Each structure stands twice: as C-alpha cells, then as structure tokens.
Amino acid sequence: MASEHDIIVVDDHPLFRRGVIQLLKMDPSFNVVAEAGDFEAAMVAVRERDPDIVLLDLNMKHTRWRS
C-alpha cells in the first residue's frame, strides 16, 4: 500500500487551485489538507496542518519573497 502525503495547495487563482486539487484527489496517495489563495493564509495553513508537501505558486502577486 502506498503511503499518504498531506498536501497544501497555494495559488492566487481559485479556478486553477480547484483544478489542481481535483487532479490530486484522483490519486489516493495524496491527501489535500488545505488550500490558500495568498501568502498569509498559506503560512497559517502550514503552521496548523504541518503538511508533507506545499504545492506553491511562486509568482503570486503580493508575496513576501518577490521584489
């Protein structure tokens, strides 16, 4: 049996985020535990859920890591 991986999906486009989550749910080894649309919500979710994987859009607007 494959192990399960907890994932948080972070993207500022809700439709894209929904599509990615639907694709991930097709594989029983992925467990989407949260989603976020901005940096602050992502940080809260990571602290609360302690996921194995964060699938993150690095080109989101208004993020701390962009100049």
Side-chain angles (χ1 to χ4, degrees):
M1 181 174 175
S3 61
E4 197 170 280
H5 304 284
D6 290 343
I7 299 177
I8 294 178
V9 178
V10 183
D11 194 287
D12 56 341
H13 293 94
L15 187 59
F16 181 79
R17 209 168 51 237
R18 190 174 315 135
V20 168
I21 290 169
Q22 286 177 345
L23 287 172
L24 289 170
K25 287 184 176 183
M26 294 174 71
D27 187 329
S29 66
F30 295 127
N31 180 32
V32 178
V33 296
E35 63 178 281
D38 59 49
F39 179 80
E40 288 75 20
M43 294 309 299
V44 168
V46 167
R47 286 185 194 108
E48 289 177 352
R49 303 293 183 147
D50 191 30
D52 301 310
I53 300 167
V54 176
L55 185 58
L56 175 68
D57 176 4
L58 292 177
N59 292 317
M60 286 191 307
K61 296 177 184 174
H62 310 293
T63 55
R64 292 183 184 177
W65 59 79
R66 292 187 71 201
S67 53

